[in-house]
Amino acid sequence: EHNATDASSDCGYAINRLRLGDTEGSLAHLHKAAKNRAFMVAFVNADPVFDPVRNDPRYRDIVKNIGLEPSKF
């Protein structure tokens, strides 16, 4: 069973993976966090750490799927 702590951890892992330059790992964890409704996912458009992937179609799909409008860069 996946709980809220796990979902929040997925969001943290997404941030850490991106900081390490691992776009694939970051987006995989971000997708998992969104799927499990992690609270912090609601702030991905405001977090500058995600700037490098904002134009990636996978990032944009994740943002759309959680009901946000993708940031325009």
Side-chain angles (χ1 to χ4, degrees):
E1 181 176 311
H2 211 75
N3 62 39
T5 302
D6 294 334
S8 292
S9 294
D10 287 324
C11 201
Y13 291 142
I15 291 168
N16 289 333
R17 297 310 315 167
L18 196 54
R19 286 182 176 151
L20 292 171
D22 179 10
T23 300
E24 299 300 318
S26 175
L27 291 172
H29 281 290
L30 187 59
H31 174 75
K32 194 173 177 184
K35 179 181 168 194
N36 292 303
R37 305 181 81 172
F39 173 76
M40 294 304 296
V41 174
F43 301 99
V44 295
N45 271 345
D47 193 334
V49 75
F50 290 103
D51 286 353
V53 294
R54 293 211 193 276
N55 291 319
D56 188 301
R58 296 167 295 175
Y59 171 85
R60 297 177 76 73
D61 285 342
I62 292 167
V63 171
K64 285 180 191 174
N65 287 335
I66 62 172
L68 297 174
E69 183 69 29
S71 297
K72 295 183 174 55
F73 280 88

